[in-house]
Amino acid sequence: MKQEIKELILTALKRMQENEGFEVDIPSFIIEVPKLEGYGDFATNVAFLLTEKLKQPPRKIAELLVKYLPACDWVEKVEVAGPGFINFFLKPIAWQQIVKEIITKQDDYGKGKKKDIKVMVEFVSANPTGPLHIGHGRGAAVGDSLANVLAFAGYDVTREYYINDVGKQMCTLGHSVYLRYLELLGEKVDFPSDFYKGEYIKDLAREVLEKEGEKYKDMPQDEAISLLARFAGERILADIKADLDNFSVKFDNWFSEKTLVESGAVKTLLAWLKEQNLAYEKDGALWFASSHFGDEKDRVLVKADGTTTYFASDLAYHKDKIERGFNLLVDIWGADHHGYVPRLKAGMQAMGYAPDALKILLIQLVHLKRGGKPVAMSTRAGEFVTLKEVLAEVGKDAARFTFLTRSCDSHLDFDLEVAKQQTMENPVFYVQYAYARVCSIEKMAHERGIFFPPLIQIDLTPLETKEEINLMKMLSQFPEVIEGAARTLEPHRLPYYLTELAGEFHRYYNKHRILGMPPEISQARFALAQAVKVVIKNGLNLLGVSAPEKM
RNA sequence: GGGCGAUUAGCUCAGCAGGAUAGAGCGUUGGCCUCCGGAGCCAAAGGUCAGGGGUUCGAAUCCCCUAUCGCCCUCCA
């Protein structure tokens, strides 16, 4: 609808230029929904943007422009208001068309046109050294829904999980299991404080002992640690996959860092950087000259002990992404990694890629609470509330909706008690309730033997009360919400929209009856309710939240 | 000390690419069940958009400074 208004204005601008002899570039004006009803259904600021060039007051320009607007059968009237806004008032038929469109398109309503952009969304990517905790859950929900939204908006989307399955932390993992294993065999061990202390390590050790006996005790320590690292890593990764599956989080690809190292990609890249004089040796280490590209200092690629850093692999990984043909890379990181943004961007530049092709979303930390009181979460002590535990307690829908109803860069207080409550403090139920209500109306109609013609044949002209117009307006905004959420990489816009839409429907439902009215009114209202159902369903799908027919 | 993020109603948070008189829920107060699901609806009260400068027709929104809070500043991941 917005787009159609825009077309009208563009036409008027052209005609005005021709007839009045103005030679002005067409400014990038906006069409917005005004806050006040009296200002119409849409308003534009185009006149303000022309004042400077035309050297005339905005109001005068607006009045002139209105004269050149083409006639249109769904526009009621156009007014110039205030200092120079142009307000459009639409006829009900304009909105009724939307209902028809939704009913026709169903699952496709809101979809954007295919865009020629291949985007990779990389998210979670937690090291396979321990179970996912609630912070990972937030990243998982945001990444998964953002990928859904981007795909729906017309982007070609791939979702990937990067597995850090080599390096020091895997060795530490193996060693941690090894020590717990020895403990089980009655040996006294000194467990270092920087090892993985969680209870799950003991469980893994116990499992090894039960299945494979005491054989690791007798082999060389290095060999035992290496074998145990592999076992533990695979087992933990399997658990991570299961947790994500329970959270309705899907990946197209699980990318192993190990393959990057074994294929020689990391070595090749390092050699190339040296050749380009972008990397140099100092103090026995190899450094990347990231400070040439805006980072505050240079960064180590190969440590003095000969091992490569996480960062070295990461450069090779991002090079690999680009080489696979992605022209937009979205990385979703915990905010505690923000210090790595400049160096990775520097890496992109050094490798000859546009730094803007990489968008990094930093997700602020989650503070877990219960009844307003903080729940202790210490990773160091190995005591944390896992994602699995949270899901078991509050359920997938509430968890996902809560994670998604915050902008990424705002801290999130996740209160377990609130997430369980079915009140408006927890709007997931409010939205689902609206959906269930429509389903219930259908069921009731069926039970009463009320006949409805095919939705597409229903005459919608009876839809003209204020509540109906508002509801239809809200429905018409869905495609723009999708487009905006995709463009800005802000999936949180969607839950807010759905909450508003649900509110508009509840209001409507409370004031007007759908069933038991004269047939032409009942039918039109029923069609409207079906349109609401479609949009809520499409929205919840993108959020990975279920749309229950009964609650 | 430096960097990033935040600061909007008593609380939790929105505010969509600067637009007209600042938004929602919770909580508070008062209403609505002869009626398709009351997990709902209506109404009232509640604000110096942290503070100060600047940019312009116009700023919660963009720029600078200050304050407070969180996170980061390793040849860790």
Side-chain angles (χ1 to χ4, degrees):
Chain A
M1 195 59 57
K2 232 178 214 180
Q3 197 52 42
E4 278 136 25
I5 301 273
K6 197 160 192 170
E7 295 299 327
L8 292 181
I9 295 168
L10 286 172
T11 309
L13 280 170
K14 263 184 220 156
R15 288 194 196 174
M16 189 168 88
Q17 282 185 341
E18 284 163 17
N19 289 298
E20 307 283 335
F22 297 144
E23 298 232 354
V24 184
D25 294 339
I26 291 176
S28 59
F29 57 94
I30 59 161
I31 310 287
E32 60 161 4
V33 179
K35 273 178 243 170
L36 266 67
E37 243 173 86
Y39 296 146
D41 298 311
F42 291 102
T44 181
N45 65 341
V46 66
F48 294 99
L49 305 176
L50 290 169
T51 47
E52 209 169 316
K53 285 169 184 161
L54 298 186
K55 300 201 178 0
Q56 289 194 43
R59 202 171 158 106
K60 209 163 178 185
I61 297 172
E63 279 161 3
L64 192 59
L65 189 63
V66 166
K67 284 186 195 151
Y68 288 106
L69 279 171
C72 186
D73 54 9
W74 42 268
V75 175
E76 177 79 41
K77 61 174 174 172
V78 180
E79 282 179 359
V80 174
F85 291 100
I86 303 176
N87 296 337
F88 292 80
F89 296 77
L90 270 48
K91 294 180 186 167
I93 181 123
W95 307 113
Q96 291 156 5
Q97 282 304 114
I98 299 291
V99 174
K100 195 143 274 181
E101 185 186 341
I102 295 168
I103 286 167
T104 308
K105 291 187 175 168
Q106 293 284 324
D107 294 356
D108 287 338
Y109 177 69
K111 262 193 188 170
K113 285 189 201 131
K114 283 264 170 286
K115 294 172 181 58
D116 198 22
I117 299 176
K118 255 190 95 172
V119 49
M120 141 105 44
V121 182
E122 183 219 320
F123 60 113
V124 189
S125 297
N127 288 347
T129 54
L132 296 180
H133 56 70
I134 188 160
H136 295 124
R138 185 177 186 188
V142 170
D144 185 64
S145 291
L146 178 60
N148 290 344
V149 167
L150 286 168
F152 197 68
Y155 296 77
D156 180 3
V157 178
T158 298
R159 14 172 115 220
E160 193 159 287
Y161 186 117
Y162 179 60
I163 311 162
N164 293 108
D165 49 4
V166 287
K168 191 177 160 195
Q169 83 281 359
M170 292 310 289
C171 191
T172 305
L173 174 67
H175 208 152
S176 302
V177 175
Y178 180 67
L179 291 182
R180 292 303 188 204
Y181 176 82
L182 293 182
E183 265 181 352
L184 289 173
L185 290 171
E187 290 193 22
K188 258 212 152 68
V189 300
D190 197 12
F191 201 85
S193 63
D194 56 347
F195 274 29
Y196 297 104
K197 289 190 192 160
E199 203 52 36
Y200 64 96
I201 297 290
K202 293 181 186 170
D203 293 341
L204 287 167
R206 207 166 291 124
E207 189 182 335
V208 171
L209 185 59
E210 278 165 19
K211 282 191 182 159
E212 306 188 66
E214 304 188 6
K215 72 180 196 187
Y216 294 101
K217 193 177 74 174
D218 304 321
M219 66 175 71
Q221 180 172 316
D222 286 355
E223 192 184 340
I225 288 173
S226 159
L227 288 170
L228 289 172
R230 171 184 288 210
F231 165 79
E234 283 173 5
R235 175 52 53 93
I236 292 171
L237 187 61
D239 286 345
I240 287 175
K241 287 185 181 183
D243 284 353
L244 290 170
D245 204 48
N246 283 331
F247 202 34
S248 297
V249 174
K250 303 268 182 292
F251 286 96
D252 299 305
N253 204 16
W254 299 76
F255 192 100
S256 152
E257 180 186 3
K258 196 190 262 177
T259 62
L260 215 49
V261 174
E262 287 173 354
S263 74
V266 178
K267 272 190 182 158
T268 309
L269 176 64
L270 295 182
W272 182 82
L273 286 171
K274 267 196 269 189
E275 220 171 89
Q276 302 294 311
N277 283 321
L278 295 168
Y280 59 91
E281 312 242 1
K282 193 183 90 179
D283 303 333
L286 184 71
W287 297 71
F288 170 54
S290 40
S291 59
H292 289 20
F293 304 97
D295 196 4
E296 57 181 4
K297 55 190 255 193
D298 293 346
R299 307 291 175 179
V300 171
L301 294 164
V302 182
K303 292 177 263 179
D305 66 4
T307 59
T308 55
T309 57
Y310 177 97
F311 176 54
S313 298
D314 231 27
L315 285 183
Y317 177 42
H318 283 78
K319 182 165 187 277
D320 184 86
K321 289 184 188 177
I322 297 276
E323 284 172 352
R324 277 188 275 162
F326 293 101
N327 36 29
L328 177 61
L329 309 181
V330 178
D331 285 14
I332 297 179
W333 296 356
D336 51 339
H337 289 70
H338 73 259
Y340 290 78
V341 174
R343 77 185 69 166
L344 192 54
K345 292 248 181 193
M348 291 289 287
Q349 250 177 297
M351 295 186 292
Y353 308 132
D356 285 349
L358 173 64
K359 305 269 189 206
I360 298 170
L361 253 55
L362 298 170
I363 313 268
Q364 290 295 328
L365 306 181
V366 178
H367 301 290
L368 195 62
K369 295 192 169 180
R370 183 180 293 283
K373 293 193 175 140
V375 175
M377 271 207 306
S378 162
T379 312
R380 197 182 289 170
E383 296 166 3
F384 38 60
V385 179
T386 61
L387 178 60
K388 194 183 204 165
E389 289 164 339
V390 171
L391 290 182
E393 185 167 346
V394 310
K396 179 195 79 170
D397 289 343
R400 281 194 70 131
F401 205 91
T402 304
F403 285 140
L404 292 164
T405 313
R406 292 288 186 291
S407 73
C408 293
D409 43 31
S410 136
H411 293 259
L412 168 60
D413 287 335
F414 190 100
D415 195 310
L416 290 162
E417 296 304 325
V418 171
K420 277 192 287 190
Q421 282 167 23
Q422 303 188 347
T423 67
M424 255 309 268
E425 251 180 295
N426 197 9
V428 63
F429 297 109
Y430 185 76
V431 176
Q432 289 179 322
Y433 184 49
Y435 182 85
R437 258 189 167 162
V438 179
C439 294
S440 160
I441 293 166
E442 275 175 73
K443 198 175 148 221
M444 181 62 70
H446 185 74
E447 281 168 8
R448 291 189 193 170
I450 299 170
F451 167 79
F452 287 112
L455 294 174
I456 196 65
Q457 290 170 19
I458 290 175
D459 173 22
L460 299 170
T461 50
L463 298 176
E464 52 184 15
T465 66
K466 189 180 147 198
E467 289 76 18
E468 282 157 347
I469 300 286
N470 283 344
L471 194 46
M472 292 188 285
K473 276 188 198 179
M474 191 64 85
L475 290 170
S476 77
Q477 285 172 23
F478 184 61
E480 293 158 30
V481 171
I482 296 296
E483 194 277 327
R487 175 173 43 78
T488 57
L489 307 177
E490 289 178 358
H492 74 275
R493 294 183 187 197
L494 191 46
Y496 275 96
Y497 167 78
L498 291 176
T499 307
E500 268 186 72
L501 174 61
E504 208 66 62
F505 178 71
H506 287 311
R507 233 184 318 284
Y508 175 60
Y509 176 91
N510 225 267
K511 186 150 180 188
H512 300 285
R513 294 191 56 77
I514 293 168
L515 302 181
M517 301 293 285
E520 63 281 6
I521 292 183
S522 265
Q523 288 175 11
R525 290 181 174 177
F526 185 75
L528 176 58
Q530 289 299 312
V532 170
K533 181 179 160 185
V534 166
V535 173
I536 291 181
K537 177 85 182 294
N538 291 358
L540 288 178
N541 268 342
L542 295 172
L543 297 180
V545 172
S546 66
E549 302 194 351
K550 256 196 302 194
M551 295 175 70

